Amino acid sequence: AIHGPPITSNPLRQASNMGGSSSKDEEDRADEIQNHATNEELLKAAKDLPFQAGHPLLAEFAKALEAEYVYRQGPKVGDFLDDPRLERRVVGEGVDFGQFNDWAGWVEALVRRSYSDDGERVVDMGQVKQFWGLAGAPPQAYAQPAYAQPVGQSHAFGGQPPVAMAQPVCSSSAPVAQAIPASSGLYPDPNTKPAVAVATPVKQ
């Protein structure tokens, strides 16, 4: 269900259903809401969806909001709301068209406040898309490299230990080779002979 603090008046809500001038009435409604509503009320209204998350109408509305307020491409929200097919599509989803327009006014007021030059960034369009279930693809796209890096690192770490193991083996053979010349001095002491005998199997 769509609900919010009763800031808009019934005449405005009725005018929004009359076609033609609906975008102007919607703009007036957004202005009125923006001037009176708190940030918390605007955020609550934006999360109170008239359709199921991820619905195509939400995606189209988000695209219009982004085009108008983020990229400054003109009255894209008005174009969306003035589409003569919109009412039939909304009603076809079991949603009252007046309530939908009322909700749209709250959302537009939130985005307008967030992207106005002298306003405060209450929310960005990325967050709005997340509220509406429209931001599922980007996290997955970012997740793939994140998972790919540990896999690559695991191969790298898996390959390094044999190299690390090989280096001590080579370095250990050098001391043995050095030990043999050190013990190769011919001394008549009998104690040195077993040492030479033990060292030669190690070298082999």
Side-chain angles (χ1 to χ4, degrees):
I2 307 172
H3 58 270
I7 293 177
T8 57
S9 61
N10 289 333
L12 276 178
R13 181 178 300 179
Q14 293 171 359
S16 67
N17 295 322
M18 296 175 61
S21 62
S22 61
S23 62
K24 179 62 170 63
D25 295 321
E26 181 66 25
E27 184 177 354
D28 293 341
R29 179 194 289 96
D31 286 339
E32 184 181 0
I33 296 172
Q34 183 181 355
N35 292 334
H36 295 86
T38 65
N39 293 340
E40 291 74 16
E41 290 171 337
L42 293 173
L43 287 169
K44 180 180 179 181
K47 296 177 183 179
D48 192 7
L49 305 182
F51 313 110
Q52 184 178 2
H55 194 282
L57 282 171
L58 294 176
E60 293 174 28
F61 188 28
K63 182 179 179 180
L65 288 165
E66 192 169 39
E68 178 167 344
Y69 292 103
V70 179
Y71 299 111
R72 312 289 177 144
Q73 295 177 354
K76 298 298 183 179
V77 173
D79 294 344
F80 169 75
L81 295 173
D82 282 346
D83 189 329
R85 300 167 296 178
L86 181 61
E87 181 174 2
R88 176 175 53 83
R89 295 175 65 191
V90 171
V91 174
E93 297 294 331
V95 176
D96 180 79
F97 192 55
Q99 290 185 344
F100 171 78
N101 277 298
D102 194 40
W103 172 79
W106 282 85
V107 174
E108 185 177 9
L110 170 64
V111 176
R112 181 182 296 179
R113 177 180 292 180
S114 297
Y115 285 93
S116 62
D117 295 334
D118 57 349
E120 57 180 319
R121 183 58 60 89
V122 183
V123 71
D124 59 50
M125 281 305 303
Q127 292 173 300
V128 173
K129 291 178 181 178
Q130 289 180 348
F131 297 159
W132 296 356
L134 303 175
Q140 293 177 2
Y142 291 125
Q144 291 176 357
Y147 288 117
Q149 290 177 358
V151 172
Q153 290 176 356
S154 65
H155 288 299
F157 288 130
Q160 287 179 0
V163 177
M165 293 291 291
Q167 291 176 355
V169 170
C170 297
S171 62
S172 62
S173 61
V176 173
Q178 292 175 358
I180 294 172
S183 62
S184 63
L186 300 179
Y187 293 100
D189 294 338
N191 293 330
T192 59
K193 294 180 180 180
V196 174
V198 172
T200 50
V202 172
K203 182 173 66 175
Q204 293 176 353

